[in-house]
Amino acid sequence: MMKPDYSFIHARLKSGKYTMNKLASAGLTLLMLMLLSRVLPLPEMPWGARSDELSMSPEMWVYSYAMLISIASDAILAMLPPLSRLKQAALYAAAAYTAYYCLFIRTPEFDGYPELAAVAGVCTLLVFFTGKRLFSSDSLFTPLFALVVPLICLFCL
């Protein structure tokens, strides 16, 4: 009888926990973004655009841009020697500012204000950084924020 390869199983479990953590962080970010857009309905928000070709949904902001920048930041942090939390947060903020500024430098939704997109991106990524510490693998909040909260945001908010 062959023994299962425990290093392979451990790697799969570790990557699954990482994925659930990222999805839970995205769910928290989406919830905060949706609630903020309901409380402060600013017409300058990209998902408040009047035309369909200029419109960007909060889901796209979180899952397409913020999650990818967060994963790239984690990859950079994995290659560096261990850093303090403040330096990790600074790396997240620098990556977010650079990426969002470059993404929205010529986007008409921000009407020539890529700094606004960059600052909003930094705030979004810092919520991802907080979620990295907030959601543990043993918590029931992790699958709740990863699976249920995005559906509530999509259908109810």
Side-chain angles (χ1 to χ4, degrees), residues 40-70:
L40 301 171
L42 299 173
E44 291 85 21
M45 290 184 179
W47 43 91
R50 287 179 174 73
S51 68
D52 287 338
E53 69 246 8
L54 297 179
S55 181
M56 177 193 309
S57 67
E59 296 88 4
M60 181 184 276
W61 180 272
V62 172
Y63 289 98
S64 295
Y65 298 125
M67 186 178 282
L68 289 176
I69 298 167
S70 174

Side-chain angles (χ1 to χ4, degrees), residues 55-133:
S55 181
M56 177 193 309
S57 67
E59 296 88 4
M60 181 184 276
W61 180 272
V62 172
Y63 289 98
S64 295
Y65 298 125
M67 186 178 282
L68 289 176
I69 298 167
S70 174
I71 291 170
S73 298
D74 285 340
I76 292 169
L77 283 173
M79 291 186 286
L80 294 174
L83 300 173
S84 68
R85 286 188 184 172
L86 183 62
K87 289 180 181 177
Q88 290 179 11
L91 186 126
Y92 260 73
Y97 190 87
T98 304
Y100 276 100
Y101 187 85
C102 291
L103 281 170
F104 293 105
I105 196 163
R106 296 193 185 264
T107 305
E109 293 138 6
F110 286 96
D111 202 22
Y113 296 109
E115 294 86 10
L116 180 66
V119 170
V122 167
C123 294
T124 305
L125 258 292
L126 288 179
V127 174
F128 265 87
F129 179 74
T130 304
K132 186 176 168 181
R133 304 280 184 239

